[in-house]
Amino acid sequence: MHVPRADLVPNTAAFETIPLVKATGFREYDARWLFGPEINLLGVQALGMGLGTYIHELGQKRIVVGHDFRSYSLSIKQALTLGLIAAGCEVLDIGLALSPTAYFAQFDLDAPCVAMVTASHNENGWTGVKMGAQRPLTFGPEEMGRLKEIVLNGDWVERPGGKLTQVDGVAERYIADAASRASISRPLKVVCACGNGTAGAFAPEALRRMGVAVVVEMDCDLDWTFPKYNPNPEDSVMLHAMAQAVRDHGADLALGFDGDGDRCGVVDDEGEEIFADKIGLMLARDLSALHKDATFVVDVKSTGLFATDPVLHANGATTVYWKTGHSYIKRKTAELGALAGFEKSGHFFFNPPIGRGYDCGIVSAAAILSMLDRNPTKTLSELKHALPVAYTSLTMSPHCADEVKYGVVDDVVAEYTALRDAGTKILGRKIIDLITVNGVRVALEDGSWVLVRASSNKPEIVVVVESTQSEDDMRALFREEVKPRLGKRAQVGAYNQEI
């Protein structure tokens, strides 16, 4: 096979004979491309040969593959499989799957490696692969760097002995395993929102098996055109639809699953969204009472309340703030032997006895429902109102090209560092700490903070702000502080959403 090129265009002879692979598709911890303009099927095959070569370098050859429900995902998985077989891998194809179904299959089929074809919650047109070679972990920057080098240089090694086995029954065993994580005795009515994504084939049945009395299915029919909105429970359009369904059905809560089922979003009985970090804090309170002196890992986009919460403190819990990204939080949770890891985007990681360490929206749902079951006299909104108050923004993302976004963020880090060193106040408050493991989280003296970091999987910068004072102050931290500071930089474009 030819060495991949980055300059091919569709509807040409070269596009049909040479692999197209743009370098920007290799992200920090997974791979994402626009199918057609940035990668072609031969490019996906080259990716498979590179991945197969790399896992042989790691001393492995047995790999699970699955695909999400998009019109082109099956063909992409088949092209990837051709490359893996050419590299001498033993491929176990589990068919249509969620990402956590593929992670479960690594345990179920005793396969160390995984390649899940999914663009998660990205818009139609995107494709990608989530990969790992050491369950329950997925690749980080080091592994992605080596894979990128092999693929773009054409340094793959063809080996004999490759084979494909199509494995039936994994989906059923996955649903049974995820459902076994909860046994609900309280009569609950739950809206199950799937945005017509892959989770519709898994989540409603799992919730019923957990003992949910009434499951209200919302957009659970699979439809790869995503006729209403992207299956993304961090997106305000999906959340508003979930909130309306709670009100229409008088439900106890709504659980929303993203396109590949590894995330879970929550709307309470009052029709109010509970951001994933606040759900994480509620779960940490609940679980730290059962598991004394537990450690939790949270990402830098998450609320500052983890550090100051009196209930966690009383239960002896420790919280570590770490880099945003499912791979980073998963790895840190495993490394520290933490009970759980929570990411603001809704990726939750539960180590035994709750889960197996990988992110699974349905296992997260089981943990949330079990918390409600342990508090039979309280609604979800009452558990939320028991938290200390903090006003946290939506995750806001201005466009910024992949080639320049890290440089822009480095520049912002340097600017905030200079402001701190000069004793400059931000809206009347001193900067008391800068967390720079992932962009910059600027902690202010009253516990409020602002975060600026580069998105790991899109040409965007990520902005979150939190105020301990008021909703208005939270808006001011964005409108009067972060937005003007980023706005001085020509590389920073329009926001996907703003407060």
Side-chain angles (χ1 to χ4, degrees):
M1 182 179 272
H2 294 88
V3 173
R5 282 170 43 185
D7 60 345
L8 307 178
V9 291
N11 200 21
T12 61
F15 191 84
E16 295 298 311
T17 52
I18 297 169
L20 166 69
V21 183
K22 293 222 168 153
T24 50
F26 293 93
R27 314 260 165 176
E28 287 180 48
Y29 44 79
D30 58 14
R32 301 262 174 106
W33 290 273
L34 280 166
F35 182 45
E38 298 180 351
I39 196 166
N40 61 5
L41 286 173
L42 289 169
V44 176
Q45 191 173 334
L47 176 68
M49 289 174 73
L51 177 60
T53 298
Y54 181 45
I55 67 173
H56 272 94
E57 285 182 9
L58 299 174
Q60 309 292 353
K61 65 177 285 188
R62 194 169 157 86
I63 184 166
V64 169
V65 299
H67 70 282
D68 70 4
F69 192 79
R70 292 180 188 247
S71 59
Y72 42 81
S73 289
L74 176 57
S75 60
I76 286 169
K77 182 183 72 176
Q78 289 171 331
L80 186 77
T81 298
L82 279 175
L84 288 165
I85 292 170
C89 293
E90 183 183 341
V91 180
L92 304 168
D93 184 351
I94 62 169
L96 181 70
L98 300 175
S99 291
T101 318
Y103 303 150
F104 165 78
Q106 290 177 270
F107 291 85
D108 184 56
L109 304 176
D110 193 22
C113 305
V114 67
M116 174 66 196
V117 172
T118 180
S120 184
H121 63 275
N122 280 27
E123 297 85 354
N124 266 325
W126 285 90
T127 189
V129 188
K130 291 182 176 177
M131 296 164 274
Q134 184 191 351
R135 64 189 181 202
L137 306 183
T138 39
F139 283 176
E142 189 180 323
E143 294 92 342
M144 288 305 297
R146 177 62 186 134
L147 176 64
K148 177 180 179 179
E149 182 181 43
I150 295 169
V151 174
L152 295 185
N153 294 334
D155 288 342
W156 47 73
V157 178
E158 293 194 51
R159 287 183 170 87
K163 72 171 191 172
L164 169 64
T165 306
Q166 290 181 320
V167 185
D168 291 327
V170 173
E172 163 56 33
R173 292 194 295 278
Y174 161 73
I175 290 171
D177 180 80
S180 74
R181 308 285 167 176
S183 182
I184 309 303
S185 54
R186 179 179 175 177
L188 292 172
K189 182 186 280 191
V190 179
V191 174
C192 176
C194 296
N196 303 111
T198 322
F202 298 83
E205 176 62 18
L207 295 182
R208 288 189 185 95
R209 292 195 202 180
M210 288 176 200
V212 174
V214 180
V215 176
V216 179
E217 294 192 21
M218 177 180 154
D219 305 323
C220 291
D221 295 331
L222 304 195
D223 184 339
W224 57 43
T225 67
F226 304 148
K228 295 184 177 175
Y229 38 73
N230 271 359
N232 179 9
E234 206 182 8
D235 192 313
S236 55
V237 185
M238 183 167 177
L239 287 164
H240 290 159
M242 288 163 61
Q244 190 59 50
V246 166
R247 291 190 284 268
D248 290 347
H249 295 279
D252 294 287
L253 71 158
L255 297 168
F257 302 93
D258 74 332
D260 66 331
D262 55 11
R263 294 190 295 128
C264 180
V266 183
V267 169
D268 69 17
D269 50 289
E270 295 179 335
E272 295 292 326
E273 173 198 357
I274 309 180
F275 287 127
D277 55 343
K278 302 282 172 62
I279 282 286
L281 181 58
M282 292 158 70
L283 288 169
R285 284 181 151 200
D286 178 59
L287 294 169
S288 63
L290 301 172
H291 306 270
K292 294 292 182 187
D293 304 323
T295 297
F296 299 100
V297 178
V298 300
D299 77 312
V300 293
K301 282 163 64 180
S302 294
T303 177
L305 295 174
F306 280 98
T308 57
D309 183 56
V311 175
L312 292 188
H313 190 259
N315 290 340
T318 305
T319 302
V320 175
Y321 283 87
W322 196 240
K323 297 179 186 181
T324 291
H326 64 83
S327 189
Y328 297 126
I329 302 295
K330 190 166 4 188
R331 196 167 288 248
K332 199 68 174 174
T333 303
E335 186 186 302
L336 297 178
L339 182 63
F342 304 114
E343 199 191 2
K344 176 84 186 282
S345 63
H347 289 274
F348 293 169
F349 312 90
F350 296 99
N351 275 329
I354 305 160
R356 286 196 175 89
Y358 53 77
D359 38 345
C360 174
I362 296 175
V363 170
S364 301
I368 293 160
L369 295 170
S370 295
M371 172 177 68
L372 275 171
D373 208 49
R374 282 191 282 273
N375 292 274
T377 63
K378 291 186 177 155
T379 62
L380 191 57
S381 60
E382 285 170 338
L383 292 174
K384 176 188 75 178
H385 293 316
L387 298 177
V389 177
Y391 304 88
T392 314
S393 73
L394 295 163
T395 299
M396 298 170 284
S397 300
H399 182 82
C400 191
D402 285 320
E403 294 80 1
V404 299
K405 66 187 180 185
Y406 292 103
V408 169
V409 169
D410 287 344
D411 193 37
V412 173
V413 174
E415 189 170 334
Y416 276 121
T417 303
L419 291 173
R420 179 199 60 187
D421 294 348
T424 306
K425 290 188 173 181
I426 286 178
L427 300 192
R429 283 156 281 187
K430 267 190 196 164
I431 298 172
I432 57 162
D433 190 25
L434 298 178
I435 299 174
T436 56
V437 292
N438 187 202
V440 62
R441 178 170 164 139
V442 184
L444 306 179
E445 59 186 323
D446 66 343
S448 302
W449 53 269
V450 304
L451 172 77
V452 178
R453 57 176 284 273
S455 169
S456 303
N457 49 31
K458 276 184 158 183
E460 292 175 346
I461 286 172
V462 175
V463 175
V464 183
V465 300
E466 181 174 274
S467 169
T468 57
Q469 295 184 16
S470 68
E471 192 92 20
D472 286 343
D473 182 61
M474 179 256 282
R475 292 175 193 281
L477 284 169
F478 172 63
R479 292 176 181 170
E480 297 171 30
E481 166 53 35
V482 186
K483 190 179 180 185
R485 199 172 294 284
L486 284 173
K488 294 185 297 187
R489 294 159 169 88
Q491 308 98 313
V492 179
Y495 285 73
N496 66 334
Q497 56 186 1
E498 295 185 34
I499 50 171

